[in-house]
Amino acid sequence: MTYEPFEGEKSVRTVRLKKDEKFFKKAVKKLGFKKEIDLVTFCAAIALYKEYKYKTLEKKLLTSAKKLVGIESFDKKDLYDLVILEHLGFKENRLKEFEKYFYTGFNILKEWFEENDADANSEIERFCGIWDFITIGNYKND
Amino acid sequence: MRFIKLKLKNFKPYYDRPGEPQEIVLFDAERKDKNISLNIGPTGNGKTSISEAILWCLYGGDSYYPNWEELVNTLSIEVAKQKKENEVNISVELVLEMKGEHYRLIRSGSYNIKTGQKVEESELSVIHNGVPEDPTGFIGNHFPTLTLMKYFVFDADDILKKFEENQEGTIRDHINKFAGVEILDELINSLEKVMGLYNGDIHDIESQIHGDIADKIKEKEKDKEVKKEAIRKLKEDGQKLEKEKKNLFEVSPSPEVKKFSELVNKRDNLEKKIVELNKRFIESDIISNMDLLLLDCVVDDTMKKLNQKQTTKEEFEISTTVIKSSLEKDYSGLFFDEKENTHLIKKGARIWNEDLDDIEKLSLESGEGIKSLSINIFGNYKKQIDELNKDFKNDKKDFDGTMKELMKVRNEIKKIGDTTKNKELKDKYEKFRKFEKQIVEKKNLQEEIEEEIKEEIEKEIKELRDQLERDEGQEKEIEQIEEKKKATQILLDISKKTREEFLDDLLSYVNKTASEFLRSTVKDTHRFHSIEIDSNYKFKVKQKNGKALEERQINRGNLQISMMSFFFALSKFLGKQIPYIIDDPLLRLDPGHDKRLIEQLSKTSDQLIFHMIPGKEYTTDSFNWLKPYINIQNWLYREKYIGIELISYAECKDAEKIVEYDINKF
């Protein structure tokens, strides 16, 4: 039995809507990610964490999407695929499922940015804020 | 370095009278403990011509004298005409001494009577112990450029007049000359022009096929350059505002303002700490693996599930094969440790001494079953997560602690600033807030433009370029130009950076040296304690408590001393011991100030050559206080010759006695 991450899918997709795309680029820059795929995995992890920790997550379907990177550049593909396979128990359409988690996390992140980014001046400040926002549920800036 | 003597032949008013060489002694070796040489004479007697002769000898005429012909003594031309000669020769010989060694510097030139123009000007000859030396190397090693030499050879009256007319502009000119900013600006302009030419070349190649697209690209490139210039300007403005903001609370007599200033400093330090924390954070691996930290609980849960998951028949078989083959080849049996980990025991290993070094962990990595693969992958990530978790928690703890303190200080600053009744503090706080607001606005605008360049203009240019179909030859040609552009851009960036950094270094040196000069010159060192020129070329005289004096608080005399301190500090920046040759050194200075300034300058220089007007600067009084420093004094005469022309010559006088104003000699 041989194993192929994400059932041999060739590429990961990301947001296409103009406003989403603008925020995507902004977030990559402001969070200091060197690669766009890092933001994708970060968003997916946000959603996976929320679901595991609080048991409530309204998943958003990535309806309008475009190709982001070839699957070969997705370094953590094994991990995310196995999380969906072994932890969530999806045997098929695992990349689609991953994209749902990404888009759900993406919207949570957007929520934080809308509320708090104007006050944040550095990458560490943003990550510490997002960390508290996700894990505790609020962002303290004073 | 000392200028010992000057021999002049038909240079300006110094006519070469047959049998009477024009020699001006500038330093008497018999009185070498005294370092001021005086050349005394009314206006028009050839004082300034001595300075000009030295500059011409050192640097030549082309760069200094646009009308070279004016260097030629008019009388010598008349005499040559009468004698029906074709040419007049001029020359200047300067003898100087450096570290006990004498050097002869000679430059000559010839003038055509008929054409009224220069025939030729010789290269400088430098002769040391009868042997010629490389003149370019000599000048390059011991003298600055002609522009900067003018900080050693100048007219004090003129310098002070310019300061008084336009303080800020004059300071800017001086600083820029010294910092080489003018030269760097020229270089930057030239490099930018070269970049423009390269872009033009690319455009020309592209126009050969797609004129309209190429034009659009050119337009976009131009737009990009305009925006880049705007960014540079915003950055420069931001830096200026930062400096001004920093200077606001630097000093104050009021304890309340001082306390407030401490708070602002504390805030700055905390902000600096956050910048450092962020730098460390960015450089670590945490950012690109932040997802793993969130996935920690999911990974734990998945591993638990995997351990409870039934092993498939295939996985069981693979595991059995691994164990079996290992046991047969290298291992003697199995061992279970306290944590129930399974280990293989190497053949010959002694297990009873509890030394587990020889025992290797059982690995199922060679198995292809998804369960064993998953255990392996999750296991590896778990290790990474644990390490990252530790790092992130430490960083977050540091950050949260610093941020909390910073918020407290920021709130305190705001509270005091908003409620204070102290007018000085209120004013400064308002300015402080204004600066902060402007800095943020400029930074945001800068980011916006950067974003626009990257996200819109560059993309549009790329899209347009993609539409161009070029052949292989054109591609190669453009590639070569792009390479040249890259190299030019590097030079351009270095030049821009050097300009900024060198200016900072220069200002800091000049402020320090000028302040030392000022303190040793003025009487009231408490009130006139230091000089500061900021990056906006604002000239400030500060008291000992650091507070800047207002313009109305500085009288003319002290302002002149401050300006001259700045001027001398500039020349000292070059670190060269070149004699100062100063026209009218005392004409504009207040009595008392002049004495202290000259005393101080004399202490820090090898030689001072003063050109003074008798009766105005050179008086019994000034002679009396100058006397201890006077090495030599020359009386500069001028007289009519063949009835129409004026000629000058110098006569060496007793340095111990005041030279009488001899009207009959005129």
Side-chain angles (χ1 to χ4, degrees), chain A residues 1 3 29 33 41 49 76 80 86-87 123-125 132 141, chain B residues 278 287-289 291 294 305 309 314 370 374 396 403 407 451:
Chain A
M1 180 186 175
Y3 163 75
K29 201 179 157 199
F33 285 125
T41 55
Y49 175 88
K76 295 173 192 162
Y80 280 91
E86 305 280 15
H87 172 70
E123 286 82 353
I124 194 169
E125 189 171 359
D132 289 343
N141 196 26
Chain B
N278 192 51
I287 291 185
S288 56
N289 291 305
D291 58 326
L294 288 167
K305 274 186 189 166
K309 198 175 166 185
E314 189 197 19
I370 292 179
S374 303
K396 191 168 184 302
M403 198 65 188
M407 285 304 163
E451 187 82 13

PDB file of all heavy atoms in Angstrom, chain A residues 1 3 29 33 41 49 76 80 86-87 123-125 132 141, chain B residues 278 287-289 291 294 305 309 314 370 374 396 403 407 451:
ATOM      1  N   MET A   1       0.854  -1.204   0.000  1.00  0.00           N
ATOM      2  CA  MET A   1       0.000   0.000   0.000  1.00  0.00           C
ATOM      3  C   MET A   1       0.885   1.248   0.000  1.00  0.00           C
ATOM      4  O   MET A   1       1.706   1.442   0.870  1.00  0.00           O
ATOM      5  CB  MET A   1      -0.896  -0.025   1.248  1.00  0.00           C
ATOM      6  CG  MET A   1      -1.811   1.166   1.352  1.00  0.00           C
ATOM      7  SD  MET A   1      -2.677   1.115   2.921  1.00  0.00           S
ATOM      8  CE  MET A   1      -3.541   2.653   2.855  1.00  0.00           C
ATOM      9  N   TYR A   3       1.333   5.536  -0.115  1.00  0.00           N
ATOM     10  CA  TYR A   3       0.595   6.700   0.365  1.00  0.00           C
ATOM     11  C   TYR A   3       0.955   7.929  -0.450  1.00  0.00           C
ATOM     12  O   TYR A   3       2.120   8.194  -0.717  1.00  0.00           O
ATOM     13  CB  TYR A   3       0.941   6.918   1.841  1.00  0.00           C
ATOM     14  CG  TYR A   3       0.573   8.290   2.340  1.00  0.00           C
ATOM     15  CD1 TYR A   3      -0.764   8.625   2.594  1.00  0.00           C
ATOM     16  CD2 TYR A   3       1.549   9.246   2.538  1.00  0.00           C
ATOM     17  CE1 TYR A   3      -1.094   9.886   3.025  1.00  0.00           C
ATOM     18  CE2 TYR A   3       1.225  10.513   2.972  1.00  0.00           C
ATOM     19  CZ  TYR A   3      -0.100  10.833   3.218  1.00  0.00           C
ATOM     20  OH  TYR A   3      -0.438  12.082   3.643  1.00  0.00           O
ATOM     21  N   LYS A  29       2.340  39.992   4.354  1.00  0.00           N
ATOM     22  CA  LYS A  29       3.374  41.006   4.581  1.00  0.00           C
ATOM     23  C   LYS A  29       3.443  41.409   6.059  1.00  0.00           C
ATOM     24  O   LYS A  29       4.514  41.437   6.659  1.00  0.00           O
ATOM     25  CB  LYS A  29       3.040  42.229   3.721  1.00  0.00           C
ATOM     26  CG  LYS A  29       4.238  43.101   3.479  1.00  0.00           C
ATOM     27  CD  LYS A  29       3.889  44.279   2.620  1.00  0.00           C
ATOM     28  CE  LYS A  29       4.909  45.359   2.866  1.00  0.00           C
ATOM     29  NZ  LYS A  29       4.468  46.657   2.457  1.00  0.00           N
ATOM     30  N   PHE A  33       5.432  36.535   6.911  1.00  0.00           N
ATOM     31  CA  PHE A  33       5.619  35.221   6.293  1.00  0.00           C
ATOM     32  C   PHE A  33       6.473  35.361   5.042  1.00  0.00           C
ATOM     33  O   PHE A  33       6.296  36.310   4.267  1.00  0.00           O
ATOM     34  CB  PHE A  33       4.268  34.608   5.899  1.00  0.00           C
ATOM     35  CG  PHE A  33       3.492  34.097   7.074  1.00  0.00           C
ATOM     36  CD1 PHE A  33       2.193  34.526   7.314  1.00  0.00           C
ATOM     37  CD2 PHE A  33       4.047  33.158   7.942  1.00  0.00           C
ATOM     38  CE1 PHE A  33       1.464  34.052   8.388  1.00  0.00           C
ATOM     39  CE2 PHE A  33       3.322  32.677   9.021  1.00  0.00           C
ATOM     40  CZ  PHE A  33       2.033  33.125   9.256  1.00  0.00           C
ATOM     41  N   THR A  41      -1.335  27.681   5.780  1.00  0.00           N
ATOM     42  CA  THR A  41      -1.290  26.664   6.849  1.00  0.00           C
ATOM     43  C   THR A  41      -1.634  27.290   8.199  1.00  0.00           C
ATOM     44  O   THR A  41      -2.284  26.668   9.029  1.00  0.00           O
ATOM     45  CB  THR A  41       0.102  26.000   6.928  1.00  0.00           C
ATOM     46  OG1 THR A  41       1.085  27.008   7.093  1.00  0.00           O
ATOM     47  CG2 THR A  41       0.415  25.193   5.701  1.00  0.00           C
ATOM     48  N   TYR A  49      -7.576  24.388  15.374  1.00  0.00           N
ATOM     49  CA  TYR A  49      -7.451  24.600  16.822  1.00  0.00           C
ATOM     50  C   TYR A  49      -8.808  24.958  17.413  1.00  0.00           C
ATOM     51  O   TYR A  49      -9.235  24.388  18.420  1.00  0.00           O
ATOM     52  CB  TYR A  49      -6.444  25.727  17.085  1.00  0.00           C
ATOM     53  CG  TYR A  49      -6.336  26.099  18.547  1.00  0.00           C
ATOM     54  CD1 TYR A  49      -5.443  25.430  19.382  1.00  0.00           C
ATOM     55  CD2 TYR A  49      -7.135  27.095  19.104  1.00  0.00           C
ATOM     56  CE1 TYR A  49      -5.349  25.747  20.733  1.00  0.00           C
ATOM     57  CE2 TYR A  49      -7.055  27.416  20.439  1.00  0.00           C
ATOM     58  CZ  TYR A  49      -6.155  26.752  21.255  1.00  0.00           C
ATOM     59  OH  TYR A  49      -6.079  27.064  22.588  1.00  0.00           O
ATOM     60  N   LYS A  76       4.537  21.178   4.436  1.00  0.00           N
ATOM     61  CA  LYS A  76       3.886  20.426   5.514  1.00  0.00           C
ATOM     62  C   LYS A  76       2.678  19.631   5.003  1.00  0.00           C
ATOM     63  O   LYS A  76       1.737  19.368   5.751  1.00  0.00           O
ATOM     64  CB  LYS A  76       3.447  21.404   6.616  1.00  0.00           C
ATOM     65  CG  LYS A  76       4.624  22.091   7.297  1.00  0.00           C
ATOM     66  CD  LYS A  76       4.124  23.164   8.244  1.00  0.00           C
ATOM     67  CE  LYS A  76       5.266  24.043   8.711  1.00  0.00           C
ATOM     68  NZ  LYS A  76       4.792  25.306   9.271  1.00  0.00           N
ATOM     69  N   TYR A  80      -0.641  17.988   7.260  1.00  0.00           N
ATOM     70  CA  TYR A  80      -2.033  18.445   7.137  1.00  0.00           C
ATOM     71  C   TYR A  80      -2.922  17.360   6.536  1.00  0.00           C
ATOM     72  O   TYR A  80      -4.073  17.184   6.942  1.00  0.00           O
ATOM     73  CB  TYR A  80      -2.112  19.757   6.348  1.00  0.00           C
ATOM     74  CG  TYR A  80      -1.754  20.927   7.235  1.00  0.00           C
ATOM     75  CD1 TYR A  80      -0.439  21.370   7.321  1.00  0.00           C
ATOM     76  CD2 TYR A  80      -2.716  21.527   8.041  1.00  0.00           C
ATOM     77  CE1 TYR A  80      -0.097  22.399   8.175  1.00  0.00           C
ATOM     78  CE2 TYR A  80      -2.379  22.556   8.898  1.00  0.00           C
ATOM     79  CZ  TYR A  80      -1.064  22.998   8.960  1.00  0.00           C
ATOM     80  OH  TYR A  80      -0.738  24.007   9.818  1.00  0.00           O
ATOM     81  N   GLU A  86      -6.286  11.131   9.577  1.00  0.00           N
ATOM     82  CA  GLU A  86      -6.252  10.372  10.829  1.00  0.00           C
ATOM     83  C   GLU A  86      -7.050  11.038  11.952  1.00  0.00           C
ATOM     84  O   GLU A  86      -7.669  10.371  12.764  1.00  0.00           O
ATOM     85  CB  GLU A  86      -4.804  10.195  11.317  1.00  0.00           C
ATOM     86  CG  GLU A  86      -3.860   9.568  10.307  1.00  0.00           C
ATOM     87  CD  GLU A  86      -3.970   8.051  10.218  1.00  0.00           C
ATOM     88  OE1 GLU A  86      -4.958   7.495  10.729  1.00  0.00           O
ATOM     89  OE2 GLU A  86      -3.073   7.431   9.618  1.00  0.00           O
ATOM     90  N   HIS A  87      -7.002  12.397  12.009  1.00  0.00           N
ATOM     91  CA  HIS A  87      -7.695  13.088  13.102  1.00  0.00           C
ATOM     92  C   HIS A  87      -9.150  13.347  12.761  1.00  0.00           C
ATOM     93  O   HIS A  87     -10.044  13.085  13.564  1.00  0.00           O
ATOM     94  CB  HIS A  87      -6.967  14.415  13.396  1.00  0.00           C
ATOM     95  CG  HIS A  87      -7.687  15.299  14.363  1.00  0.00           C
ATOM     96  ND1 HIS A  87      -7.793  14.993  15.699  1.00  0.00           N
ATOM     97  CD2 HIS A  87      -8.353  16.469  14.188  1.00  0.00           C
ATOM     98  CE1 HIS A  87      -8.494  15.938  16.303  1.00  0.00           C
ATOM     99  NE2 HIS A  87      -8.847  16.841  15.401  1.00  0.00           N
ATOM    100  N   GLU A 123       5.636  42.388  14.035  1.00  0.00           N
ATOM    101  CA  GLU A 123       5.219  41.002  13.822  1.00  0.00           C
ATOM    102  C   GLU A 123       4.939  40.313  15.162  1.00  0.00           C
ATOM    103  O   GLU A 123       3.935  39.637  15.333  1.00  0.00           O
ATOM    104  CB  GLU A 123       6.300  40.224  13.068  1.00  0.00           C
ATOM    105  CG  GLU A 123       6.405  40.553  11.596  1.00  0.00           C
ATOM    106  CD  GLU A 123       7.216  41.797  11.308  1.00  0.00           C
ATOM    107  OE1 GLU A 123       7.613  42.504  12.268  1.00  0.00           O
ATOM    108  OE2 GLU A 123       7.466  42.084  10.126  1.00  0.00           O
ATOM    109  N   ILE A 124       5.841  40.536  16.122  1.00  0.00           N
ATOM    110  CA  ILE A 124       5.682  39.854  17.417  1.00  0.00           C
ATOM    111  C   ILE A 124       4.388  40.325  18.099  1.00  0.00           C
ATOM    112  O   ILE A 124       3.667  39.529  18.702  1.00  0.00           O
ATOM    113  CB  ILE A 124       6.927  40.053  18.331  1.00  0.00           C
ATOM    114  CG1 ILE A 124       6.881  39.071  19.496  1.00  0.00           C
ATOM    115  CG2 ILE A 124       7.085  41.469  18.812  1.00  0.00           C
ATOM    116  CD1 ILE A 124       8.171  38.983  20.299  1.00  0.00           C
ATOM    117  N   GLU A 125       4.110  41.621  17.945  1.00  0.00           N
ATOM    118  CA  GLU A 125       2.894  42.155  18.564  1.00  0.00           C
ATOM    119  C   GLU A 125       1.654  41.527  17.916  1.00  0.00           C
ATOM    120  O   GLU A 125       0.699  41.162  18.592  1.00  0.00           O
ATOM    121  CB  GLU A 125       2.875  43.679  18.418  1.00  0.00           C
ATOM    122  CG  GLU A 125       1.759  44.320  19.212  1.00  0.00           C
ATOM    123  CD  GLU A 125       1.840  45.836  19.272  1.00  0.00           C
ATOM    124  OE1 GLU A 125       2.781  46.416  18.716  1.00  0.00           O
ATOM    125  OE2 GLU A 125       0.929  46.420  19.882  1.00  0.00           O
ATOM    126  N   ASP A 132      -3.507  35.342  21.641  1.00  0.00           N
ATOM    127  CA  ASP A 132      -4.475  35.546  22.719  1.00  0.00           C
ATOM    128  C   ASP A 132      -5.903  35.519  22.182  1.00  0.00           C
ATOM    129  O   ASP A 132      -6.808  34.972  22.814  1.00  0.00           O
ATOM    130  CB  ASP A 132      -4.219  36.892  23.423  1.00  0.00           C
ATOM    131  CG  ASP A 132      -2.943  36.839  24.259  1.00  0.00           C
ATOM    132  OD1 ASP A 132      -2.476  35.721  24.541  1.00  0.00           O
ATOM    133  OD2 ASP A 132      -2.407  37.907  24.610  1.00  0.00           O
ATOM    134  N   ASN A 141      -4.556  45.125  24.316  1.00  0.00           N
ATOM    135  CA  ASN A 141      -3.572  46.073  23.785  1.00  0.00           C
ATOM    136  C   ASN A 141      -3.238  47.147  24.813  1.00  0.00           C
ATOM    137  O   ASN A 141      -2.500  48.068  24.555  1.00  0.00           O
ATOM    138  CB  ASN A 141      -4.091  46.714  22.499  1.00  0.00           C
ATOM    139  CG  ASN A 141      -2.977  47.384  21.741  1.00  0.00           C
ATOM    140  OD1 ASN A 141      -1.815  46.991  21.873  1.00  0.00           O
ATOM    141  ND2 ASN A 141      -3.310  48.400  20.977  1.00  0.00           N
TER     142      ASN A 141
ATOM    143  N   ASN B 278      11.398  41.984  18.520  1.00  0.00           N
ATOM    144  CA  ASN B 278      10.790  41.656  17.224  1.00  0.00           C
ATOM    145  C   ASN B 278      11.838  41.171  16.225  1.00  0.00           C
ATOM    146  O   ASN B 278      11.599  40.235  15.465  1.00  0.00           O
ATOM    147  CB  ASN B 278      10.056  42.877  16.680  1.00  0.00           C
ATOM    148  CG  ASN B 278       9.176  42.533  15.503  1.00  0.00           C
ATOM    149  OD1 ASN B 278       8.378  41.603  15.577  1.00  0.00           O
ATOM    150  ND2 ASN B 278       9.346  43.232  14.398  1.00  0.00           N
ATOM    151  N   ILE B 287       7.897  32.183  13.160  1.00  0.00           N
ATOM    152  CA  ILE B 287       6.831  32.710  12.295  1.00  0.00           C
ATOM    153  C   ILE B 287       6.356  31.665  11.275  1.00  0.00           C
ATOM    154  O   ILE B 287       5.157  31.413  11.169  1.00  0.00           O
ATOM    155  CB  ILE B 287       7.291  34.011  11.591  1.00  0.00           C
ATOM    156  CG1 ILE B 287       7.428  35.122  12.630  1.00  0.00           C
ATOM    157  CG2 ILE B 287       6.313  34.421  10.486  1.00  0.00           C
ATOM    158  CD1 ILE B 287       7.749  36.492  12.090  1.00  0.00           C
ATOM    159  N   SER B 288       7.311  31.051  10.574  1.00  0.00           N
ATOM    160  CA  SER B 288       6.871  30.107   9.531  1.00  0.00           C
ATOM    161  C   SER B 288       6.292  28.816  10.123  1.00  0.00           C
ATOM    162  O   SER B 288       5.742  27.988   9.396  1.00  0.00           O
ATOM    163  CB  SER B 288       8.031  29.790   8.596  1.00  0.00           C
ATOM    164  OG  SER B 288       9.107  29.293   9.346  1.00  0.00           O
ATOM    165  N   ASN B 289       6.418  28.661  11.454  1.00  0.00           N
ATOM    166  CA  ASN B 289       5.863  27.442  12.080  1.00  0.00           C
ATOM    167  C   ASN B 289       4.814  27.750  13.140  1.00  0.00           C
ATOM    168  O   ASN B 289       4.542  26.918  13.997  1.00  0.00           O
ATOM    169  CB  ASN B 289       7.009  26.639  12.707  1.00  0.00           C
ATOM    170  CG  ASN B 289       7.911  26.045  11.649  1.00  0.00           C
ATOM    171  OD1 ASN B 289       7.440  25.333  10.772  1.00  0.00           O
ATOM    172  ND2 ASN B 289       9.182  26.370  11.695  1.00  0.00           N
ATOM    173  N   ASP B 291       1.780  27.841  12.827  1.00  0.00           N
ATOM    174  CA  ASP B 291       0.663  26.904  12.687  1.00  0.00           C
ATOM    175  C   ASP B 291       0.864  25.667  13.568  1.00  0.00           C
ATOM    176  O   ASP B 291      -0.078  25.148  14.176  1.00  0.00           O
ATOM    177  CB  ASP B 291       0.490  26.495  11.211  1.00  0.00           C
ATOM    178  CG  ASP B 291       1.730  25.864  10.625  1.00  0.00           C
ATOM    179  OD1 ASP B 291       2.850  26.268  11.021  1.00  0.00           O
ATOM    180  OD2 ASP B 291       1.604  24.969   9.768  1.00  0.00           O
ATOM    181  N   LEU B 294      -0.341  26.007  17.115  1.00  0.00           N
ATOM    182  CA  LEU B 294      -1.788  25.854  17.265  1.00  0.00           C
ATOM    183  C   LEU B 294      -2.204  24.395  17.084  1.00  0.00           C
ATOM    184  O   LEU B 294      -3.183  23.928  17.662  1.00  0.00           O
ATOM    185  CB  LEU B 294      -2.525  26.734  16.247  1.00  0.00           C
ATOM    186  CG  LEU B 294      -2.485  28.239  16.526  1.00  0.00           C
ATOM    187  CD1 LEU B 294      -2.959  29.020  15.312  1.00  0.00           C
ATOM    188  CD2 LEU B 294      -3.348  28.600  17.722  1.00  0.00           C
ATOM    189  N   LYS B 305      -4.915   8.717  19.079  1.00  0.00           N
ATOM    190  CA  LYS B 305      -5.818   7.909  18.233  1.00  0.00           C
ATOM    191  C   LYS B 305      -5.025   6.838  17.483  1.00  0.00           C
ATOM    192  O   LYS B 305      -5.447   5.688  17.374  1.00  0.00           O
ATOM    193  CB  LYS B 305      -6.527   8.800  17.209  1.00  0.00           C
ATOM    194  CG  LYS B 305      -7.785   9.443  17.723  1.00  0.00           C
ATOM    195  CD  LYS B 305      -8.475  10.180  16.574  1.00  0.00           C
ATOM    196  CE  LYS B 305      -9.623  11.009  17.111  1.00  0.00           C
ATOM    197  NZ  LYS B 305     -10.089  11.962  16.127  1.00  0.00           N
ATOM    198  N   LYS B 309      -5.232   2.746  17.478  1.00  0.00           N
ATOM    199  CA  LYS B 309      -5.752   2.192  16.226  1.00  0.00           C
ATOM    200  C   LYS B 309      -5.211   0.782  16.002  1.00  0.00           C
ATOM    201  O   LYS B 309      -4.037   0.511  16.286  1.00  0.00           O
ATOM    202  CB  LYS B 309      -5.295   3.105  15.077  1.00  0.00           C
ATOM    203  CG  LYS B 309      -6.044   2.949  13.802  1.00  0.00           C
ATOM    204  CD  LYS B 309      -5.530   4.017  12.847  1.00  0.00           C
ATOM    205  CE  LYS B 309      -5.975   3.713  11.435  1.00  0.00           C
ATOM    206  NZ  LYS B 309      -5.398   4.670  10.513  1.00  0.00           N
ATOM    207  N   GLU B 314      -0.959  -5.817   7.051  1.00  0.00           N
ATOM    208  CA  GLU B 314       0.239  -5.434   6.296  1.00  0.00           C
ATOM    209  C   GLU B 314       1.299  -4.828   7.214  1.00  0.00           C
ATOM    210  O   GLU B 314       2.478  -5.176   7.152  1.00  0.00           O
ATOM    211  CB  GLU B 314      -0.169  -4.412   5.244  1.00  0.00           C
ATOM    212  CG  GLU B 314       0.923  -4.098   4.248  1.00  0.00           C
ATOM    213  CD  GLU B 314       0.626  -2.810   3.490  1.00  0.00           C
ATOM    214  OE1 GLU B 314      -0.185  -2.000   3.947  1.00  0.00           O
ATOM    215  OE2 GLU B 314       1.258  -2.626   2.444  1.00  0.00           O
ATOM    216  N   ILE B 370       0.412   3.188   6.455  1.00  0.00           N
ATOM    217  CA  ILE B 370       0.068   4.571   6.809  1.00  0.00           C
ATOM    218  C   ILE B 370       0.173   4.797   8.316  1.00  0.00           C
ATOM    219  O   ILE B 370       0.594   5.843   8.769  1.00  0.00           O
ATOM    220  CB  ILE B 370      -1.353   4.920   6.297  1.00  0.00           C
ATOM    221  CG1 ILE B 370      -1.308   4.958   4.789  1.00  0.00           C
ATOM    222  CG2 ILE B 370      -1.779   6.297   6.822  1.00  0.00           C
ATOM    223  CD1 ILE B 370      -2.631   5.256   4.135  1.00  0.00           C
ATOM    224  N   SER B 374       2.425   7.628   9.767  1.00  0.00           N
ATOM    225  CA  SER B 374       1.780   8.702  10.520  1.00  0.00           C
ATOM    226  C   SER B 374       2.438   8.880  11.876  1.00  0.00           C
ATOM    227  O   SER B 374       2.718  10.012  12.299  1.00  0.00           O
ATOM    228  CB  SER B 374       0.291   8.409  10.730  1.00  0.00           C
ATOM    229  OG  SER B 374      -0.321   8.230   9.483  1.00  0.00           O
ATOM    230  N   LYS B 396       7.013  35.488  24.078  1.00  0.00           N
ATOM    231  CA  LYS B 396       5.731  36.115  24.387  1.00  0.00           C
ATOM    232  C   LYS B 396       5.747  36.711  25.797  1.00  0.00           C
ATOM    233  O   LYS B 396       5.231  37.792  26.031  1.00  0.00           O
ATOM    234  CB  LYS B 396       4.599  35.089  24.249  1.00  0.00           C
ATOM    235  CG  LYS B 396       3.222  35.734  24.286  1.00  0.00           C
ATOM    236  CD  LYS B 396       2.145  34.784  23.878  1.00  0.00           C
ATOM    237  CE  LYS B 396       0.792  35.478  23.824  1.00  0.00           C
ATOM    238  NZ  LYS B 396       0.368  36.095  25.069  1.00  0.00           N
ATOM    239  N   MET B 403       5.441  45.124  26.944  1.00  0.00           N
ATOM    240  CA  MET B 403       4.300  45.864  26.395  1.00  0.00           C
ATOM    241  C   MET B 403       3.446  46.444  27.527  1.00  0.00           C
ATOM    242  O   MET B 403       2.974  47.581  27.430  1.00  0.00           O
ATOM    243  CB  MET B 403       3.480  44.891  25.534  1.00  0.00           C
ATOM    244  CG  MET B 403       2.556  45.564  24.584  1.00  0.00           C
ATOM    245  SD  MET B 403       3.496  46.505  23.369  1.00  0.00           S
ATOM    246  CE  MET B 403       2.181  47.349  22.563  1.00  0.00           C
ATOM    247  N   MET B 407       2.725  50.306  27.993  1.00  0.00           N
ATOM    248  CA  MET B 407       1.366  50.870  28.026  1.00  0.00           C
ATOM    249  C   MET B 407       1.198  51.779  29.236  1.00  0.00           C
ATOM    250  O   MET B 407       0.582  52.846  29.155  1.00  0.00           O
ATOM    251  CB  MET B 407       0.333  49.742  28.091  1.00  0.00           C
ATOM    252  CG  MET B 407       0.146  49.042  26.785  1.00  0.00           C
ATOM    253  SD  MET B 407      -0.306  50.251  25.534  1.00  0.00           S
ATOM    254  CE  MET B 407       0.019  49.348  24.095  1.00  0.00           C
ATOM    255  N   GLU B 451       3.833  49.990  -1.494  1.00  0.00           N
ATOM    256  CA  GLU B 451       2.860  48.962  -1.852  1.00  0.00           C
ATOM    257  C   GLU B 451       2.390  49.181  -3.304  1.00  0.00           C
ATOM    258  O   GLU B 451       2.299  48.244  -4.089  1.00  0.00           O
ATOM    259  CB  GLU B 451       1.671  49.079  -0.884  1.00  0.00           C
ATOM    260  CG  GLU B 451       0.648  47.991  -1.014  1.00  0.00           C
ATOM    261  CD  GLU B 451       1.060  46.739  -0.269  1.00  0.00           C
ATOM    262  OE1 GLU B 451       2.012  46.809   0.534  1.00  0.00           O
ATOM    263  OE2 GLU B 451       0.458  45.697  -0.522  1.00  0.00           O
TER     264      GLU B 451
END
